[in-house]
């Protein structure tokens, strides 16, 4: 490691200011994309003459596609680089979201929802891996706190945005649910372009740190990696990690949390709609629990430290 004194916190904050806005915007966009179907449902089911069962099946197919392609997606991210692969994710998920605006049958709905999950697969773990290439271990929890906050903020913003878009029913001869998919599909494509051109791959090939700061960061990360390899007495591979009992237990816990959270978020707009409120009011009412969750994360989580 460099023997020249370096202001560690200043370097970390400089890296955070350069990287976090883009990757956090991607994750925020992913959660807006996951919520749009809940508001589109309020008009979409009537226009397409589909049942709650069809909607539930289509909504769930997103996660089937995501689960199947998550590991391959992250392996390819490692091969092609974060900026290229995250950009690919954004463009493909944006295009498929736009295509959802032209859904004309349950079968088309099923196929596009499955493809949407496959397209978006690997975004979250891929970004986590990417952050590990830039932030030493002792700073990762704080950076993860900032990044993960985007999930709550995304859910919070999704309600007012989608509710307002739904109220624009008839604009340009489009249904409100079609406008939701068109607008929320354009957003990740714009993000993908920004990521491709402005998200640096690794500390070695960037120019926003001076030579001393860059050397300190590279040496620190290399030293941590060497210690991990020395302490790892087992010769692990992808399959051994998947079948590790600790991974299985955590996966079950996360599965149960996801069932509860998405069951609520996908049907909450429908429940609020029964109060007789307008689409825009529905969106703001849906934002309240996520607004409170965001405040809790800010004041009680790692982002407050």
């Amino acid at each position: 490691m460099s023997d020249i004194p370096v202001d560690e916190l200043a370097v970390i904050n400089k890296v955070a200011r350069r990287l976090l806005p883009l990757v956090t915007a991607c994750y925020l966009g992913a959660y807006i994309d996951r919520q749009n179907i809940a508001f589109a449902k309020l008009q979409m089911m009537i226009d397409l003459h589909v049942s709650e069962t069809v909607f539930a099946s289509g909504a769930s197919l997103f996660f089937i596609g995501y689960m199947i392609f998550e590991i391959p997606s992250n392996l390819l991210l490692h091969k092609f680089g974060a900026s290229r692969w995250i950009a690919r994710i954004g463009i493909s998920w944006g295009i498929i979201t736009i295509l959802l605006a032209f859904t004309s049958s349950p079968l088309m709905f099923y196929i596009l929802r499955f493809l949407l999950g496959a397209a978006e697969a690997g975004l979250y773990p891929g970004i986590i891996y990417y952050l590990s290439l830039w932030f030493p271990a002792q700073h990762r929890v704080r950076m993860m706190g900032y990044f993960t906050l985007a999930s709550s903020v995304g859910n919070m913003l999704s309600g007012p945005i989608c509710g307002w878009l739904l109220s624009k029913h008839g604009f340009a001869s489009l249904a409100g649910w079609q406008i939701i998919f068109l607008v929320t599909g354009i957003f990740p494509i714009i993000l993908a372009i920004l990521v491709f051109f402005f998200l640096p791959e690794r500390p070695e090939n960037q120019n926003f740190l001076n030579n001393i700061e860059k050397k300190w960061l590279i040496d620190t990360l290399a030293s941590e990696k060497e210690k991990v390899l020395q302490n790892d007495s087992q010769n692990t591979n992808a399959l051994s990690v998947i079948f590790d009992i600790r991974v299985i237990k955590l996966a079950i816990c996360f599965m149960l949390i996801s069932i509860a959270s998405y069951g609520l978020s996908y049907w909450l707009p429908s429940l609020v709609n029964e109060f007789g409120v307008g689409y825009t009011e529905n969106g703001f009412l849906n934002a309240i629990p996520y607004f409170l969750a965001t405040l809790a994360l800010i004041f009680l989580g790692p982002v407050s430290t």
Side-chain angles (χ1 to χ4, degrees):
M1 294 178 61
S2 173
D3 55 359
I4 300 176
V6 172
D7 187 340
E8 179 176 340
L9 188 59
V11 175
I12 295 301
N13 288 338
K14 186 183 291 188
V15 174
R17 287 192 297 270
R18 180 65 176 78
L19 305 183
L20 286 182
L22 265 180
V23 296
T24 301
C26 290
Y27 197 43
L28 184 148
Y31 268 82
I32 291 176
D33 182 64
R34 294 181 192 187
Q35 282 290 92
N36 60 16
I37 188 70
F39 285 88
K41 169 183 182 288
L42 300 179
Q43 293 177 357
M44 187 179 186
M45 287 181 59
I46 298 173
D47 287 357
L48 298 183
H49 307 290
V50 298
S51 65
E52 291 281 352
T53 302
V54 170
F55 169 78
S57 300
S60 301
L61 280 168
F62 169 91
F63 299 99
I64 303 299
Y66 196 103
M67 178 184 67
I68 292 173
F69 289 95
E70 180 135 10
I71 294 175
S73 178
N74 277 270
L75 293 175
L76 290 170
L77 180 143
H78 181 74
K79 178 179 180 180
F80 292 108
S83 62
R84 291 185 181 88
W85 196 250
I86 293 173
R88 192 285 305 163
I89 289 175
I91 289 174
S92 57
W93 123 46
I95 290 173
I96 295 170
T97 300
I98 290 172
L99 290 176
L100 275 165
F102 304 98
T103 303
S104 58
S105 67
L107 179 60
M108 184 177 180
F109 180 53
Y110 290 156
I111 293 172
L112 289 175
R113 285 292 296 177
F114 177 84
L115 292 177
L116 182 62
E120 195 182 313
L123 177 68
Y124 177 74
I127 292 178
I128 298 303
Y129 164 74
Y130 173 73
L131 293 178
S132 72
L133 301 177
W134 284 89
F135 294 103
Q138 65 180 6
H139 298 284
R140 283 178 201 155
V141 173
R142 181 165 65 95
M143 298 307 149
M144 278 295 301
Y146 289 126
F147 170 66
T148 306
L149 187 64
S151 63
S152 180
V153 174
N155 281 321
M156 180 182 72
L157 295 178
S158 180
I161 292 172
C162 291
W164 180 76
L165 292 173
L166 201 62
S167 70
K168 298 304 174 185
H169 182 82
F171 178 78
S173 300
L174 295 169
W177 64 271
Q178 292 178 302
I179 297 172
I180 286 178
F181 287 131
L182 288 173
V183 173
T184 57
I186 292 171
F187 182 61
I189 294 176
I190 295 172
L191 282 176
I193 295 171
L194 294 174
V195 165
F196 184 82
F197 287 104
F198 298 109
L199 191 69
E201 285 292 343
R202 292 174 180 267
E204 294 85 351
N205 58 0
Q206 54 72 44
N207 55 14
F208 63 89
L209 297 175
N210 62 44
N211 291 333
I212 296 174
E213 293 170 332
K214 183 189 298 187
K215 178 172 174 53
W216 173 84
L217 182 59
I218 294 172
D219 289 349
T220 300
L221 292 168
S223 177
E224 287 185 353
K225 183 177 181 179
E226 185 178 350
K227 289 179 182 178
V228 170
L229 293 175
Q230 290 176 350
N231 294 331
D232 186 8
S233 58
Q234 298 179 344
N235 188 15
T236 58
N237 54 54
L239 289 178
S240 67
V241 172
I242 293 172
F243 293 105
D244 188 300
I245 188 63
R246 295 168 296 180
V247 174
I248 294 173
K249 288 179 179 178
L250 289 171
I252 292 173
C253 291
F254 189 71
M255 177 191 71
L256 296 174
I257 292 171
S258 297
I259 289 173
S261 63
Y262 284 106
L264 174 65
S265 63
Y266 279 176
W267 272 270
L268 186 59
S270 297
L271 295 174
V272 174
N273 193 55
E274 295 181 3
F275 298 163
V277 299
Y279 294 131
T280 303
E281 291 82 359
N282 189 331
F284 278 100
L285 288 172
N286 271 267
I288 292 174
Y290 299 110
F291 171 72
L292 296 175
T294 301
L295 290 180
L297 285 171
I298 290 173
F299 292 107
L300 301 178
V303 295
S304 64
T305 59

